[in-house]
Amino acid sequence: MIQIYNTKNNKREDFVPINEGKVGMYVCGPTVYDVAHLGHGRSAVAFDVIRKYLSWKGYDVKFVSNYTDIDDKMINRAAEDGITVSELAEKIIPEYEKDYAALGIEKPNHQPRATEHIEAVVDIIKKLEDGEYIYVIDGDGVYFDVQRFADYGQLSGQNLDDLKMGARVEINKNKRNPYDFALWKFKKDGEPSWGSPWGEGRPGWHIECSAMSYKLLGRKFDIHGGGLDLQFPHHECEVAQSVCALGEG
């Protein structure tokens, strides 16, 4: 019997796939604003080993790992370098490909970019809007209201009363709660943008992975992985928005 460590309960559990003989696996990939560091390599190798082991055991593994090619870091670095965000992505992604190949990492079945799945992002936000999980801050963006999801903090073993402000939690005095997170950020001068029912803008960081995994693996899949530093807030927010929009986390 294969056992998998579940970060939600901090226990090793027997692995029982949703569909017999098949495994759906999504791993949060890098934000491609700069070349890879050792942590990227460690994460990629770890999940490559898991994927290869499951395949060796006879499972039909559908493995998805993304590139985040639009977010604040991408925009800021592109501006510093005097190039567009898409040009930055085209410059950095091949460097990751070379590094992964040198480490013997097998290519995922799908390696989506966030900018390729804006339609899926908008679709999930619409579902959240229908469930009254969102609110709009004029001139800023569309936010997820964490108070509407009673289990927020469960993945990382925290609660809203004593949750410590993480380094990657955006501080915004206009938010209802400090831990509310952006689903859609309204367009600013010089930034890439796409149309949406709420106005021109771009996805928030967390919604991108939920959209890509939903599009390529469906509402429910077996393994969601990523670096430990992503457990909060990234994976915590993914769970919240996915459960509220899709009924699965």
Side-chain angles (χ1 to χ4, degrees), residues 25-61:
M25 186 174 175
Y26 183 90
V27 174
C28 291
T31 301
V32 289
Y33 70 100
D34 204 347
V35 293
H37 54 64
L38 188 59
H40 293 121
R42 184 219 176 272
S43 177
V45 168
F47 289 106
D48 180 62
V49 169
I50 293 171
R51 180 256 193 105
K52 286 174 176 173
Y53 179 75
L54 290 170
S55 296
W56 178 74
K57 291 292 288 185
Y59 289 100
D60 179 11
V61 181

Side-chain angles (χ1 to χ4, degrees), residues 1 14-24 54 59 221-222:
M1 176 64 71
D14 292 340
F15 177 66
V16 181
I18 297 166
N19 299 303
E20 186 175 356
K22 297 180 181 293
V23 175
L54 290 170
Y59 289 100
F221 51 93
D222 300 283

Side-chain angles (χ1 to χ4, degrees), residues 18-19 24 123-124 127 209-222 224 238-239 241-249:
I18 297 166
N19 299 303
D123 182 39
I124 292 178
K127 287 177 168 58
C209 283
S210 286
M212 288 182 278
S213 60
Y214 166 50
K215 185 72 173 179
L216 294 168
L217 292 172
R219 290 175 177 264
K220 194 172 184 178
F221 51 93
D222 300 283
H224 187 299
E238 280 191 77
V239 170
Q241 65 201 7
S242 295
V243 170
C244 293
L246 309 172
E248 306 289 353

Side-chain angles (χ1 to χ4, degrees), residues 99-134:
D99 289 342
Y100 288 160
L103 291 169
I105 294 168
E106 187 177 342
K107 278 185 171 291
N109 299 110
H110 299 280
Q111 203 157 27
R113 302 185 188 190
T115 56
E116 298 170 343
H117 294 279
I118 302 298
E119 185 177 343
V121 168
V122 171
D123 182 39
I124 292 178
I125 301 174
K126 283 181 179 178
K127 287 177 168 58
L128 292 169
E129 183 176 46
D130 291 342
E132 300 182 349
Y133 292 103
I134 73 170

Side-chain angles (χ1 to χ4, degrees), residues 10-244:
N10 296 314
K11 293 180 180 179
R12 277 187 279 184
E13 298 178 342
D14 292 340
F15 177 66
V16 181
I18 297 166
N19 299 303
E20 186 175 356
K22 297 180 181 293
V23 175
M25 186 174 175
Y26 183 90
V27 174
C28 291
T31 301
V32 289
Y33 70 100
D34 204 347
V35 293
H37 54 64
L38 188 59
H40 293 121
R42 184 219 176 272
S43 177
V45 168
F47 289 106
D48 180 62
V49 169
I50 293 171
R51 180 256 193 105
K52 286 174 176 173
Y53 179 75
L54 290 170
S55 296
W56 178 74
K57 291 292 288 185
Y59 289 100
D60 179 11
V61 181
K62 187 176 182 180
F63 181 59
V64 180
S65 185
N66 73 294
Y67 285 121
T68 294
D69 61 344
I70 180 66
D71 87 328
D72 293 340
K73 291 180 179 180
M74 293 289 299
I75 291 169
N76 293 338
R77 180 57 59 84
E80 289 173 8
D81 292 352
I83 58 178
T84 67
V85 172
S86 60
E87 286 172 339
L88 177 62
E90 293 302 326
K91 173 184 174 183
I92 298 298
I93 288 175
E95 297 302 317
Y96 274 90
E97 299 287 309
K98 286 190 285 187
D99 289 342
Y100 288 160
L103 291 169
I105 294 168
E106 187 177 342
K107 278 185 171 291
N109 299 110
H110 299 280
Q111 203 157 27
R113 302 185 188 190
T115 56
E116 298 170 343
H117 294 279
I118 302 298
E119 185 177 343
V121 168
V122 171
D123 182 39
I124 292 178
I125 301 174
K126 283 181 179 178
K127 287 177 168 58
L128 292 169
E129 183 176 46
D130 291 342
E132 300 182 349
Y133 292 103
I134 73 170
Y135 62 94
V136 176
I137 298 177
D138 291 340
D140 186 342
V142 180
Y143 281 81
F144 183 91
D145 186 347
V146 299
Q147 294 282 6
R148 295 276 290 114
F149 182 59
D151 289 336
Y152 189 81
Q154 190 176 89
L155 178 67
S156 52
Q158 305 177 84
N159 62 66
L160 291 179
D161 292 329
D162 60 15
L163 204 53
K164 293 183 178 179
M165 191 73 75
R168 299 179 84 170
V169 174
E170 180 183 3
I171 298 174
N172 183 333
K173 64 181 181 180
N174 294 315
K175 294 194 291 186
R176 294 176 181 174
N177 187 291
Y179 309 103
D180 293 348
F181 55 92
L183 300 166
W184 189 257
K185 297 186 176 185
F186 294 144
K187 181 181 179 180
K188 296 178 182 177
D189 289 343
E191 293 186 354
S193 65
W194 294 263
S196 83
W198 311 278
E200 285 280 320
R202 59 184 172 90
W205 176 39
H206 310 305
I207 194 71
E208 294 173 346
C209 283
S210 286
M212 288 182 278
S213 60
Y214 166 50
K215 185 72 173 179
L216 294 168
L217 292 172
R219 290 175 177 264
K220 194 172 184 178
F221 51 93
D222 300 283
I223 298 172
H224 187 299
L228 187 61
D229 62 316
L230 299 181
Q231 186 175 0
F232 183 85
H234 187 50
H235 291 168
E236 193 77 68
C237 296
E238 280 191 77
V239 170
Q241 65 201 7
S242 295
V243 170
C244 293

